Amino acid sequence: MSITLKNLANILNQELKPWRYTDYAPNGLQVEGKAEVHKIISGVTACERLLDEAIKQKADAVLVHHGYFWKNENPCITGIKQRRISKLLLNQISLLAYHLPLDAHPTLGNNAQLAEMLNINITGGLDLNTDNPTGNVGELAEPVSVFDFAEKIGNTVDRQPLVVEGGQHQVRTVALCTGAAQDYIDLAIERNADVFVSGEISERTVHIAREAGIHYIAAGHHATERYGVMALGEWLQKTQDIEHEFIDVPNPA
């Protein structure tokens, strides 16, 4: 089975609603390839290794969370950017990328998928000042120690998380925002969360967590953001009857 590229892009846009977000890169179709799409390769980032695998598998489109054309980057198509884009164009492979819309989707998003895997019952958005929060707040069924919770996260994402203790309290209320959302810790504090889980950590995050009395767990940018694009690709395969495969390009960050 196949779908036209135009219809594929329209379906993704209608589901993810990128117009709701002020983002750091364009969302949707970034590089246009073949008019018909039979097979999609999905991955976290449109790196060269992912593109090489898409070429090897004769895919028609690549679907990612981290695409191209980020704000404030050099706009010239040289070096790494030239190699990546030329591989897409020469092989007529389309690139579709969704950043914040994929973080925020209520069921297919990075945060929703990770919360489901960790058995967190989502009760609301992390940022109450927007109708489209990219993070979530939820509850565990039973309180646990921060180290037991971190162990569960590590077993889930297959990566040893970094834990900053913010006190002696157990974890029941969880604030969650995948990727490089460490500075959203202030929002987690406002929501009276016991712990804030994100992907990355900054030097300042440690002091904020300790002084504010909130645990912080950095579980990896890549590790926490595999599951949204994977779920989105599987959803396309199920609803549109097209072939999909998620390719993980390991990344320790």
Side-chain angles (χ1 to χ4, degrees), residues 72-132:
N72 300 319
E73 74 173 19
N74 186 339
C76 297
I77 302 176
T78 59
I80 291 172
K81 185 185 290 186
Q82 186 274 338
R83 292 200 303 272
R84 290 175 172 180
I85 293 177
S86 66
K87 288 189 175 187
L88 290 168
L89 293 175
L90 288 172
N91 292 277
Q92 292 188 283
I93 297 174
S94 297
L95 176 65
L96 299 109
Y98 292 90
H99 186 231
L100 294 183
L102 187 57
D103 285 322
H105 193 279
T107 58
L108 301 173
N110 289 318
N111 291 290
Q113 287 290 309
L114 187 57
E116 181 178 352
M117 296 170 72
L118 296 174
N119 297 316
I120 300 169
N121 178 35
I122 294 176
T123 56
L126 178 59
D127 187 352
L128 296 178
N129 296 315
T130 176
D131 294 330
N132 304 297

Side-chain angles (χ1 to χ4, degrees), residues 126-196:
L126 178 59
D127 187 352
L128 296 178
N129 296 315
T130 176
D131 294 330
N132 304 297
T134 55
N136 296 109
V137 175
E139 300 285 329
L140 299 177
E142 299 290 339
V144 297
S145 75
V146 66
F147 291 105
D148 285 345
F149 186 53
E151 182 179 10
K152 182 175 184 177
I153 293 173
N155 291 335
T156 300
V157 303
D158 195 26
R159 183 187 190 276
Q160 182 64 41
L162 186 155
V163 180
V164 178
E165 290 184 86
Q168 301 300 313
H169 58 281
Q170 290 192 305
V171 171
R172 181 70 178 266
T173 302
V174 180
L176 172 70
C177 194
T178 62
Q182 60 267 43
D183 288 336
Y184 283 10
I185 190 171
D186 291 338
L187 295 175
I189 294 166
E190 291 177 9
R191 299 300 307 277
N192 295 314
D194 300 313
V195 63
F196 181 44

Side-chain angles (χ1 to χ4, degrees), residues 206-228:
V206 176
H207 301 296
I208 294 171
R210 289 171 177 169
E211 294 173 28
I214 184 173
H215 301 306
Y216 184 80
I217 299 176
H221 192 139
H222 176 87
T224 59
E225 296 199 324
R226 288 194 295 249
Y227 308 105

